[in-house]
Amino acid sequence: MRARPRHPVQGRGMFSGTGVIIVGLTATIAALVFPIWSYADRSDPTGTVNVLSAQTVSTRYGPLSALDRDFIVKVRLAGLWELPAGEMAEEKGTTAAVRTAGQHLVDGHAALDAHVRSVATQLGVPIPDGPNVQQQQWLATLTAAQGQDFDREFANIVRLAHGRVFSVVAQVRAGTQNTLVRELADDANTTVLDHIKVLEDTGYVDFSTLARQLAVTPSPVASPPVVAPRDATPLLPSPTTSPTPSPSSPYTLPPATTSPPPASDSP
């Protein structure tokens, strides 16, 4: 008996029409997915993005970044040494311009310190009570200097410090998403620029030396720890007493008795 030929079974085998389509689709999906997976794995090899995200906390005034907190600390530190430096200039300056610059430092940092203490309290950012080591050294230099040596040291040391913080203020103001930090940066920008001008008006600023010093990146100041506002221990302004001085420094700022709410943006 002669065997009848069998018809091929449709859809069987890897290379049937359906199989070819499935293989093609699988290859296409793999080609699309692999680059995305690979890029995600390599796009942040140092983990910087994840670290920055982890260091940003939510507040009712907007996200508060590590840079924002560092800025708040720096503003407080500036007042802790520049206000007593201004008081020395008022007493020891040999020219009216130096004494005027000292008065601007005292007035400006008294007001700015009240503002930064208010912001730190609302955002739960711990702030220092005394100057850091570098600032204590600057104060010691000014304490020891007399006559025109004092005028020269005062103008150049304080101008250098303001030049460094001026760029920090601009960076924070340009990028912060927090409304309180933005308003503090506006206040700091106005204050720092005023101080830069009156220091230059003394005639003692050595601009060539200043340019070389500003070109050298200073040692970074460690950012404050990441503290969620609900877990923070804010430093409340005292209406009657001055903050306790640091054991290594006799200087204190007056209490922030008039910590006003941040100014509104409306004219």
Side-chain angles (χ1 to χ4, degrees):
M1 177 188 274
R2 192 164 123 187
R4 293 177 16 188
R6 297 178 61 185
H7 296 285
V9 178
Q10 297 295 327
R12 290 186 180 179
M14 181 175 180
F15 296 101
S16 65
T18 303
V20 170
I21 294 174
I22 293 174
V23 171
L25 288 175
T26 302
T28 301
I29 293 173
L32 292 173
V33 170
F34 178 78
I36 297 174
W37 170 84
S38 178
Y39 176 80
D41 184 58
R42 299 194 310 261
S43 60
D44 185 29
T46 63
T48 303
V49 173
N50 291 334
V51 170
L52 291 177
S53 297
Q55 291 181 343
T56 298
V57 296
S58 297
T59 77
R60 60 181 294 191
Y61 306 100
L64 182 70
S65 70
L67 180 61
D68 293 337
R69 290 190 298 277
D70 189 55
F71 170 67
I72 292 170
V73 170
K74 280 184 169 68
V75 172
R76 170 64 174 171
L77 281 171
L80 286 170
W81 85 274
E82 289 177 21
L83 191 148
E87 290 175 340
M88 280 192 272
E90 287 182 308
E91 297 173 3
K92 299 170 64 174
T94 65
T95 69
V98 171
R99 293 191 294 270
T100 296
Q103 180 183 359
H104 277 243
L105 259 67
V106 171
D107 294 343
H109 281 292
L112 189 59
D113 184 69
H115 192 169
V116 72
R117 286 170 64 87
S118 174
V119 169
T121 297
Q122 293 178 79
L123 295 177
V125 176
I127 52 177
D129 281 330
N132 62 28
V133 174
Q134 174 67 81
Q135 294 164 343
Q136 291 173 30
Q137 292 172 353
W138 285 336
L139 286 172
T141 298
L142 294 179
T143 300
Q146 301 295 329
Q148 287 190 343
D149 286 340
F150 171 84
D151 295 343
R152 189 174 297 103
E153 292 283 9
F154 167 76
N156 285 283
I157 290 175
V158 182
R159 176 61 179 83
L160 172 63
H162 279 76
R164 285 176 173 168
V165 77
F166 198 45
S167 60
V168 175
V169 175
Q171 181 182 6
V172 171
R173 181 59 181 85
T176 184
Q177 302 179 67
N178 189 282
T179 57
L180 293 187
V181 174
R182 191 176 300 126
E183 290 165 356
L184 178 62
D186 286 341
D187 194 1
N189 182 71
T190 300
T191 302
V192 171
L193 184 58
D194 171 70
H195 293 174
I196 285 176
K197 290 179 177 179
V198 294
L199 288 165
E200 292 173 351
D201 286 344
T202 65
Y204 283 106
V205 174
D206 183 343
F207 288 98
S208 60
T209 300
L210 176 66
R212 290 194 300 270
Q213 291 173 322
L214 288 176
V216 177
T217 303
S219 300
V221 178
S223 296
V226 179
V227 180
R230 63 180 178 276
D231 299 326
T233 304
L235 299 178
L236 298 173
S238 170
T240 57
T241 59
S242 298
T244 304
S246 168
S248 56
S249 172
Y251 302 103
T252 60
L253 280 170
T257 57
T258 58
S259 301
S264 64
D265 294 332
S266 58

